[in-house]
Amino acid sequence: EDQVTQSPEALRLQEGESSSLNCSYTVSGLRGLFWYRQDPGKGPEFLFTLYSAGEEKEKERLKATLTKKESFLHITAPKPEDSATYLCAVLEIQGAQKLVFGQGTRLTINP
Amino acid sequence: NAGVTQTPKFRILKIGQSMTLQCTQDMNHNYMYWYRQDPGMGLKLIYYSVGAGITDKGEVPNGYNVSRSTTEDFPLRLELAAPSQTSVYFCASKLAGVSSEGYGYTFGSGTRLTVV
């Protein structure tokens, strides 16, 4: 059974203080690893998909990287508007293309 | 283009009552999903559908039922509501196969349900 574990559960940073969120996974065959951002009272918003070890993707202050066992979401010089819960998910290899989610990391950026 | 629309946004039910959570998408997506999210937890799959007339159970289906009579609609039915069903419910949809952007799910904004 596919499993996804995110750490830390919560992270508080000062504005401009860079850090990384971790997502470790165990899957029978990785078809894709996803990062989503979720604001309070909203649905998850797609950020990145990574498919193979060594792949990296960037968007503004965010960069996602992937190894064979984990993914990192690096946040460089964050701003208060980056405060949100960040969810990691892996795609199950079976035909219905279901996502298996981690529990999320709640990120707070203080001004 | 509305994307995935969920109604209602909020609802309070008494124990034993029933209700239907509505989900509609206008993107002609084949696949649709219902997830629930409890505080501090990730999303857990309740039911999914790969096309009209086809549904299947996910990880946590007990106490729920679904139907998929059209491509657009995927309602979730709660029979005999229980406090354990207090949660936020998200509907999602996607096209079958792989797009250039990857396996892109589109989520609705959620329904917050409280059972008292």
Side-chain angles (χ1 to χ4, degrees):
Chain A
E1 183 177 318
D2 297 348
Q3 287 192 321
V4 180
T5 303
Q6 291 186 247
S7 61
E9 290 188 9
L11 181 63
R12 285 184 176 271
L13 300 172
Q14 290 299 121
E15 184 173 1
E17 180 184 1
S18 302
S19 189
S20 297
L21 313 183
N22 177 263
C23 171
S24 61
Y25 62 89
T26 54
V27 296
S28 55
L30 184 67
R31 292 291 297 276
L33 185 138
F34 296 76
W35 283 98
Y36 285 86
R37 171 188 170 127
Q38 186 176 26
D39 293 303
K42 302 281 185 67
E45 177 186 344
F46 173 76
L47 291 173
F48 305 109
T49 309
L50 302 167
Y51 292 103
S52 56
E55 189 175 0
E56 297 183 353
K57 288 191 177 174
E58 287 188 65
K59 180 179 179 179
E60 295 182 357
R61 295 175 292 281
L62 300 176
K63 183 169 80 172
T65 62
L66 182 65
T67 71
K68 288 186 178 180
K69 292 200 180 296
E70 58 190 355
S71 176
F72 292 94
L73 185 65
H74 306 279
I75 303 175
T76 302
K79 298 181 178 181
E81 54 261 42
D82 295 321
S83 297
T85 295
Y86 291 85
L87 298 168
C88 169
V90 295
L91 187 71
E92 283 198 336
I93 200 168
Q94 288 82 8
Q97 300 170 16
K98 297 174 283 182
L99 288 178
V100 177
F101 284 86
Q103 78 276 26
T105 293
R106 189 171 65 255
L107 177 67
T108 304
I109 308 299
N110 295 316
Chain B
N1 192 343
V4 178
T5 302
Q6 290 185 239
T7 57
K9 292 191 183 300
F10 304 94
R11 183 72 185 268
I12 298 175
L13 278 183
K14 293 184 178 179
I15 294 172
Q17 287 185 321
S18 300
M19 76 164 293
T20 299
L21 282 66
Q22 301 292 345
C23 175
T24 299
Q25 54 92 6
D26 62 358
M27 298 170 286
N28 204 30
H29 284 176
N30 312 82
Y31 293 179
M32 295 188 75
Y33 309 83
W34 275 106
Y35 287 89
R36 61 176 285 173
Q37 186 177 33
D38 299 319
M41 306 290 286
L43 283 74
K44 293 193 180 296
L45 183 64
I46 305 171
Y47 269 95
Y48 64 94
S49 169
V50 299
I54 305 170
T55 63
D56 207 345
K57 295 177 181 179
E59 185 181 0
V60 289
N62 292 343
Y64 307 94
N65 276 299
V66 294
S67 59
R68 183 98 182 268
S69 57
T70 67
T71 298
E72 294 79 18
D73 299 308
F74 190 41
L76 178 71
R77 177 82 177 164
L78 277 71
E79 305 282 1
L80 299 175
S84 61
Q85 294 178 304
T86 294
S87 189
V88 181
Y89 292 83
F90 289 101
C91 179
S93 72
K94 70 179 296 298
L95 280 172
V98 182
S99 72
S100 59
E101 291 297 314
Y103 294 84
Y105 273 42
T106 300
F107 282 87
S109 57
T111 294
R112 184 175 297 274
L113 175 67
T114 303
V115 181
V116 296

